[in-house]
């Protein structure tokens, strides 16, 4: 079969994404490849389809043991003969898989790296026809990276022992250093390198000003994501627990996840998140590595990550299925102060601290910008882009106002109080609030007392945050939150340097409205026939997944259910035309689904 036919019939997708088609052609013809693609880009098909096209079995090396079983389940659902060989199998089961493999009964075999390099498995490889070697998460070969696996270094033997078998190495880690290491250590000098854009067009980015963050989060979840599954990231374990409890008490099915929880509880919560539907995982960054769930509809940040890389990796866990997804973050001055403090107080050397501060500054710049978020993000990764039309700034362009005068007042308040106070107290002075502290310190006698009554508390907070973000003020580590002037503040005070501030968005919640998202399907608004249909389809999927003992997304992705709900197909042909419905699934579920669509449609007609 040709690649497109396999894509259509086995996987049920109408067309290749990005470079997929070229990669498949290249590997199927026997060429080596290095594939750099963002998370959710569709790396798996790049080796699965050539494995089906070439004689023999494709051998896939992956370090993520927990994910292998789900991948095999998904392939089996599509009618592909797949199996896994790792430490989760007992001896008898492993022997069965080895026999099937050597007997030519498998199309794809997933193997853990430590198993692959054993003499026993190497001997097995000698006796078996191999279609290709796929080395997933290839950055694990990098000794400088955070995911280093010593066994990956040994994978170079594959090339020496099986020079005629094509190899395809895949990773979502794009930086130049890692790339060079992969090529060198895996002897891929002759491989063709495929670099996919790191853009994730279906993810809508929104960064809102913090103003009672929990309430903002709740509003965002209720308005945009009723019943959806997603992740809420917090910095501390305590906050994770509190936020999960608080969301639960407001009727949102939230579970906590952090490294301090018992391993059993962690595994149970993760399983419920992956299998179930509509779970909101409230987590520290301990949650995420190896989470392959394609239908995560949102990633929310209640605290600021450390860098754009971290933000992009975390938000990248949303919308891997290509359907519309939201990346939402609430951020305020305290976040910047807290992150700066963590850097200052860490034991790292000065060089590392300097790099960390620069990385944080880049992220704060992203949060402060009035321009397209995506343009900023991609520029950070060295890509050029047009304004996207799918971020908060593109959808609701903020007005930028001249805030030079206000900035001078703020800086002067800092100066006159001896650079020893945080934003809260300074705002009291500027707004002429005669609080006890203000009176005790005699700050109601200052020239700056009450010169800023024309601006609200919130506007002043936004301005202070902006002054810190643009480096005119620094927040001191020792005196928690005390603001000091920097060299550039002088220029602002003298009126030589203008300050422009984005006007606080008029929308109270700040959450992005659902709408056009670059052609990918979005959930229908609640209460409509399509929404009723989607609910019915999801319930059916839950039952079916339970009966088969696989995660719900293995049956069908959200994107596929949404398309079925909106098109309400009347016959098998129409159903087959929907993205994600392959031949095997059509045969297995087609009749059931058509009946369900009909009865549901009849119920509201
Ligand atoms: P990665 O490994 O790059 O993170 P996956 O291979 O898991 O990504 O693919 C991400 C999702 O996109 C999967 O759910 C997959 O089924 C889907 N997908 C991949 N290629 C296509 C395509 N050509 N058309 C539609 N969906 C696709
Ligand atoms: Zn944009």
């Amino acid at each position: 079969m040709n690649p497109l036919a396999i894509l259509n019939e086995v996987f049920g997708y109408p067309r290749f994404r990005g470079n997929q088609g070229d990669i498949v052609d290249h590997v199927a013809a026997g060429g080596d490849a290095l594939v750099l693609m963002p998370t959710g880009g569709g790396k798996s098909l790049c080796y699965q389809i050539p494995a089906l096209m070439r004689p023999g079995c494709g051998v896939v090396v992956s370090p993520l043991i927990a994910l292998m079983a789900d991948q095999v389940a998904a392939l089996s659902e599509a009618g592909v003969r797949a199996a896994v060989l790792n430490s989760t199998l007992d001896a008898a089961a492993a022997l069965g898989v080895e026999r099937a493999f050597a007997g030519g009964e498998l199309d794809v075999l997933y193997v853990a790296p430590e198993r692959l390099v054993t003499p026993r498995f190497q001997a097995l490889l000698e006796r078996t026809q191999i279609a290709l070697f796929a080395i997933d998460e290839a950055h694990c070969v990098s000794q400088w990276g955070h995911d280093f696996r010593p066994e990956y270094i040994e994978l170079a033997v594959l090339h020496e022992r099986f020079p005629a078998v094509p190899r395809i190495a895949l990773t979502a880690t794009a930086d130049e250093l890692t790339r060079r290491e992969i090529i060198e250590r895996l002897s891929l000098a002759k491989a063709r390198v495929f670099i996919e854009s790191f853009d994730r067009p279906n993810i809508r980015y929104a960064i809102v000003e913090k103003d009672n963050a929990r309430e903002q989060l709740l509003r965002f979840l209720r308005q945009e994501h009723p019943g959806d599954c997603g992740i809420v990231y917090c910095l501390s374990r305590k906050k994770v627990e509190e936020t999960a409890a608080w969301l639960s008490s407001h009727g949102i099915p939230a579970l906590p996840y952090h490294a301090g929880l018992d391993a059993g509880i962690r595994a149970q919560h993760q399983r419920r998140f992956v299998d179930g539907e509509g779970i909101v995982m409230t987590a520290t960054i301990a949650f995420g590595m190896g989470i392959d769930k394609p239908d995560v509809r949102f990633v929310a940040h209640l605290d600021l990550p450390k860098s754009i890389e971290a933000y992009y990796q975390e938000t990248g866990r949303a919308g891997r299925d290509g359907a519309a997804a939201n990346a939402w973050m609430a951020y305020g001055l305290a976040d910047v102060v807290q992150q700066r403090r963590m850097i200052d107080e860490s034991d790292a050397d000065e060089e590392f601290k300097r790099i960390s501060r620069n990385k944080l500054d880049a992220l704060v710049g992203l949060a402060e910008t009035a321009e397209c978020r995506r343009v900023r993000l991609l520029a950070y990764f060295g890509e050029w882009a047009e304004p996207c039309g799918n971020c908060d700034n593109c959808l609701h362009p903020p007005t930028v106002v001249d805030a030079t005068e206000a900035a001078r007042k703020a800086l002067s308040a800092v100066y006159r109080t001896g650079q020893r106070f945080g934003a809260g107290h300074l705002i009291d002075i500027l707004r002429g609030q005669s609080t006890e502290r203000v009176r005790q310190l005699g700050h109601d006698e200052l020239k700056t007392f009450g010169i800023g009554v024309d601006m609200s508390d919130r506007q002043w907070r936004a301005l202070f945050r902006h002054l810190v973000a643009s480096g005119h003020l620094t927040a001191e580590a020792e005196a928690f939150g005390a603001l000091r002037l920097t060299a550039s503040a002088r220029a602002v005070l003298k009126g030589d340097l203008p300050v422009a501030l984005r006007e606080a968005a008029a929308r109270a919640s700040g959450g992005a409205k659902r709408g056009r998202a670059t052609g990918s399907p979005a959930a229908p608004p609640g209460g409509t026939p399509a929404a009723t249909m989607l609910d019915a389809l999801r319930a059916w999927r839950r039952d079916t997944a339970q009966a088969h003992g696989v995660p719900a997304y293995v049956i069908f992705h959200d994107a596929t259910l949404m398309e079925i709900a909106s098109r309400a197909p009347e016959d098998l042909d129409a159903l087959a035309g929907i993205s994600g419905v392959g031949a095997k699934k059509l045969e297995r579920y087609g009749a059931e689904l058509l009946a369900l669509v009909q009865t549901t449609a009849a119920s509201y007609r």
Side-chain angles (χ1 to χ4, degrees):
M1 264 206 280
N2 73 48
L4 194 60
I6 297 179
L7 181 74
N8 297 159
E9 297 198 6
V10 178
F11 297 95
Y13 296 133
R15 65 194 73 81
F16 282 113
R17 270 193 205 151
N19 284 327
Q20 275 177 333
D22 292 342
I23 299 167
V24 167
D25 287 343
H26 180 74
V27 176
D32 290 342
L34 170 60
V35 173
L36 300 141
M37 224 184 243
T39 306
K43 286 187 278 301
S44 321
L45 291 182
C46 297
Y47 55 80
Q48 288 166 350
I49 293 180
L52 290 170
M53 290 168 70
R54 293 175 59 86
C57 177
V59 174
V60 186
V61 190
S62 166
L64 305 171
I65 289 183
L67 297 182
M68 290 183 186
D70 289 350
Q71 251 151 7
V72 167
L75 283 171
S76 306
E77 276 289 321
V80 177
R81 301 174 303 167
V84 51
L85 206 51
N86 62 29
S87 53
T88 63
L89 266 59
D90 62 29
L95 196 62
V97 171
E98 285 180 8
R99 288 220 178 99
F101 176 57
E105 292 160 28
L106 292 179
D107 301 314
V108 180
L109 177 68
Y110 284 84
V111 192
E114 56 276 13
R115 168 89 53 151
L116 186 89
V117 296
T118 59
R120 179 185 171 87
F121 194 78
Q122 289 288 313
L124 191 62
L125 287 175
E126 300 278 2
R127 287 188 271 125
T128 310
Q129 187 164 31
I130 310 296
L132 55 85
F133 290 112
I135 301 161
D136 207 1
E137 313 289 346
H139 62 280
C140 291
V141 80
S142 158
Q143 272 172 310
W144 309 113
H146 44 292
D147 298 329
F148 176 57
R149 302 278 177 138
E151 314 86 52
Y152 261 62
I153 303 262
E154 295 178 49
L155 295 179
V157 306
L158 295 177
H159 182 51
E160 289 153 25
R161 295 189 67 164
F162 308 96
V165 179
R167 293 168 305 145
I168 168 171
L170 312 103
T171 178
T173 302
D175 67 277
E176 183 61 34
L177 182 68
T178 315
R179 203 180 304 173
R180 280 207 305 268
E181 268 190 289
I182 295 174
I183 291 174
E184 190 182 314
R185 288 174 199 270
L186 296 178
S187 327
L188 282 168
K190 296 212 178 71
R192 207 172 131 189
V193 181
F194 295 88
I195 302 176
E196 194 74 70
S197 163
F198 271 65
D199 187 17
R200 300 286 309 280
N202 61 314
I203 297 184
R204 176 173 297 177
Y205 300 96
I207 301 178
V208 308
E209 234 173 78
K210 236 182 216 181
D211 180 23
N212 194 345
R214 282 206 309 207
E215 291 287 351
Q216 286 172 295
L217 173 68
L218 186 65
R219 238 179 353 248
F220 165 70
L221 295 181
R222 285 188 173 153
Q223 282 172 3
E224 311 251 338
H225 292 289
D228 283 345
C229 129
I231 307 172
V232 176
Y233 281 114
C234 306
L235 210 53
S236 72
R237 298 173 182 185
K238 183 159 167 273
K239 188 156 167 189
V240 163
E241 304 248 352
E242 286 171 359
T243 308
W246 189 81
L247 287 176
S248 300
S249 75
H250 285 77
I252 308 256
L255 294 173
Y257 189 106
H258 57 70
L261 287 172
D262 175 72
I265 303 224
R266 256 184 359 239
Q268 189 202 336
H269 287 186
Q270 174 159 343
R271 204 67 242 174
R272 280 184 61 192
F273 176 77
V274 172
D275 287 351
E277 297 191 16
I279 297 281
V280 173
M281 194 67 115
T282 310
T284 60
I285 51 169
F287 183 71
M289 180 48 190
I291 300 297
D292 218 356
K293 192 171 164 59
D295 55 358
V296 174
R297 293 270 65 86
F298 66 88
V299 169
H301 280 95
L302 280 186
D303 292 306
L304 201 62
K306 286 183 178 24
S307 62
I308 289 190
E309 288 99 317
Y311 171 77
Y312 207 61
Q313 190 179 46
E314 285 150 28
T315 54
R317 291 174 185 139
R320 292 167 70 119
D321 55 8
N326 273 310
W328 182 93
M329 177 160 82
Y331 121 106
L333 175 59
D335 290 303
V336 186
V337 173
Q338 184 183 31
Q339 285 286 6
R340 288 252 164 96
R341 199 163 66 124
M342 281 166 59
I343 296 171
D344 290 346
E345 290 177 349
S346 80
D347 297 329
D349 60 40
E350 269 316 309
E351 173 68 359
F352 188 85
K353 286 186 182 177
R354 194 182 58 78
I355 294 173
S356 302
R357 282 188 203 106
N358 288 344
K359 288 189 180 233
L360 179 61
D361 286 348
L363 180 64
V364 171
L366 171 75
E368 288 288 318
T369 186
E371 280 147 33
C372 175
R373 310 267 188 208
R374 195 177 314 268
V375 167
R376 273 272 181 149
L377 279 168
L378 291 175
Y380 186 81
F381 296 113
E383 270 184 57
W384 182 87
E386 295 268 9
C388 72
N390 193 30
C391 71
D392 53 353
N393 287 349
C394 281
L395 290 165
H396 312 274
T399 38
V400 177
V401 293
D402 177 39
T404 310
E405 268 318 299
R408 292 175 68 192
K409 291 178 186 169
L411 296 176
S412 137
V414 172
Y415 180 71
R416 286 176 194 279
T417 50
Q419 312 188 55
R420 287 185 291 120
F421 298 92
H425 182 68
L426 294 165
I427 292 172
D428 284 341
I429 296 171
L430 286 160
R431 299 198 62 232
Q433 307 282 332
S434 164
T435 64
E436 203 177 314
R437 188 145 178 250
V438 167
R439 282 196 309 275
Q440 267 173 7
L441 293 160
H443 286 166
D444 48 355
E445 313 280 322
L446 294 173
K447 258 177 87 178
T448 36
F449 184 75
I451 57 170
V453 280
D454 53 327
M455 273 165 63
S456 71
D457 188 74
R458 183 164 162 195
Q459 285 172 315
W460 279 115
R461 258 190 295 147
L463 179 61
F464 273 106
R465 198 192 60 227
H466 184 73
L467 290 172
V468 172
S470 23
H472 302 315
L473 286 173
T474 57
E476 290 295 296
E478 311 87 70
F480 182 41
L483 298 172
R484 294 181 68 87
L485 304 174
T486 65
S488 67
R490 271 179 80 85
V492 179
L493 270 170
K494 287 194 355 211
D496 291 344
L497 198 62
V499 174
L501 181 66
R502 54 176 291 163
E503 190 90 288
R507 292 158 295 131
S509 86
K513 282 275 165 294
R514 267 207 211 270
R516 187 193 74 90
T518 57
S520 37
T528 59
T532 316
M533 183 79 82
L534 185 59
D535 285 345
L537 289 166
R538 280 186 167 156
W540 168 84
R541 176 175 67 176
R542 189 168 48 237
D543 296 344
T544 311
Q546 246 158 32
H548 290 221
V550 295
Y553 69 77
V554 164
I555 305 292
F556 283 118
H557 287 175
D558 268 9
T560 305
L561 292 192
M562 286 175 196
E563 209 178 321
I564 298 178
S566 69
R567 287 218 226 152
E570 294 189 343
D571 53 35
L572 285 174
D573 270 354
L575 187 58
I578 285 171
S579 178
V581 184
K584 201 83 201 171
K585 292 191 181 178
L586 190 68
E587 180 189 314
R588 202 170 287 170
Y589 306 122
E592 257 180 85
L593 275 175
L594 289 179
L596 180 71
V597 167
Q598 267 184 6
T599 45
T600 315
S603 73
Y604 54 69
R605 231 181 244 130

